[in-house]
Amino acid sequence: SMQAAWNRTAAIDGDMLIQEFIPVGDDHGVNYNALWDLGRPLTEVTAAKLRLSPLGIGFPTDFVNRYVPEIIEPARAMLAALNFHGFANVEFKRDARNGEYVLMEINPRLNQSLMLSVATGVNFAAMAYRQCLGQPINADAAGDPYRVRRYYIDTDRDIREALKELPSGQLSLKAFLTPYFSRQVSATFSWSDPLPFFKRLAGIARPG
C-alpha cells in the first residue's frame, strides 16, 4: 500500500517527493511557452500534445498550436512568484476526472518542439539570444501564433509508436495521418540537411 511504501521510505535519510500519475490520454498534455523579463511576460503561446513515445509517459511526438486560456494565468502566477527571467516552458496535464489542469513541471530551457513556435511566428530562440545580449527583442512583432493550425512531428519516433498502436486500435489511421497532411514542421527533417532524418528513420527497423 501507499502507507507501507511511505513508512519504508521514511526510515531512510533524505527528502521524499510523491507524484501522482494522472491516468488520461496522451492528448491531455498542454504547454505554456513564454519569454519573461524580470517577472513579466513579453511573449507567450500555448500548445497541445497529441501523441507521446513511449505511450503514456514518453516525449511528445506530435504537437499542435492551440490556444489554451485555462493554463495562462496559473503559469503567470508561478513565474511571477519566481521573478522569472528568460524562456520558460510550463507543462500541464488535464485531469479527465475533474477537468482541472495539473502542473507537471517548469523547464527553464528551450524545449524540443521549439520549431512549432518558430513556424507560427514566435522565434523564442532568437528572442532569448537577443535578451541575453541586452538587445531589443521586439516581441510585439510576433503576430498571431494561432492564426493557422500547424503541427510539430518527431517523425521517426511517431512512426515507431504508430506501428505499435495502429494494429491494436489504440490509434486510428485518421488521427495518425492528420498531422502529416496538414501544415507541419519536422523535428529532424530539413531539405538542406536530410541526413539526420534518414539516420534516425533507419532506427525504426531496429528493436527498442
Side-chain angles (χ1 to χ4, degrees):
S1 69
M2 175 66 74
Q3 184 63 55
W6 175 274
N7 292 337
R8 289 195 303 270
T9 309
I12 304 173
D13 290 338
D15 297 327
M16 288 187 293
L17 174 67
I18 295 178
Q19 292 181 299
E20 179 184 7
F21 183 80
I22 301 174
V24 294
D26 291 347
D27 58 352
H28 282 56
V30 293
N31 280 10
Y32 167 91
N33 298 320
L35 186 70
W36 276 58
D37 184 72
L38 300 176
R40 65 183 183 89
L42 299 179
T43 302
E44 51 191 4
V45 300
T46 57
K49 301 176 185 179
L50 299 178
R51 296 195 285 271
L52 307 179
S53 177
L55 181 68
I57 58 172
F59 294 98
T61 59
D62 285 271
F63 259 104
V64 63
N65 59 318
R66 181 180 298 163
Y67 181 55
V68 189
E70 297 91 340
I71 67 172
I72 294 178
E73 287 305 323
R76 286 176 178 172
M78 287 183 286
L79 295 175
L82 294 170
N83 195 30
F84 196 87
H85 184 77
F87 176 81
N89 164 230
V90 187
E91 296 192 37
F92 295 85
K93 197 170 187 180
R94 186 173 66 85
D95 191 336
R97 295 168 295 187
N98 55 23
E100 295 183 357
Y101 285 92
V102 180
L103 175 68
M104 292 179 63
E105 60 183 358
I106 300 176
N107 294 309
R109 56 168 173 74
L110 296 171
N111 48 337
Q112 187 175 352
S113 57
L114 175 69
M115 286 305 296
L116 178 61
S117 295
V118 174
T120 56
V122 185
N123 193 334
F124 281 117
M127 291 178 182
Y129 178 74
R130 289 194 292 269
Q131 185 183 50
C132 290
L133 295 179
Q135 298 177 353
I137 296 173
N138 194 23
D140 293 337
D144 181 5
Y146 313 110
R147 184 175 63 85
V148 177
R149 175 164 291 187
R150 285 185 180 269
Y151 293 85
Y152 160 92
I153 309 173
D154 193 342
T155 313
D156 57 300
R157 288 193 176 101
D158 191 50
I159 294 174
R160 183 196 295 272
E161 202 61 44
L163 292 175
K164 303 174 186 176
E165 296 178 43
L166 286 168
S168 66
Q170 293 176 288
L171 175 67
S172 71
L173 184 61
K174 179 181 179 181
F176 170 66
L177 292 177
T178 294
Y180 291 87
F181 286 91
S182 306
R183 294 193 179 189
Q184 52 165 285
V185 291
S186 172
T188 54
F189 181 76
S190 169
W191 286 109
S192 62
D193 186 17
L195 187 59
F197 167 76
F198 288 110
K199 184 176 181 180
R200 286 186 60 183
L201 194 63
I204 294 176
R206 294 194 292 268

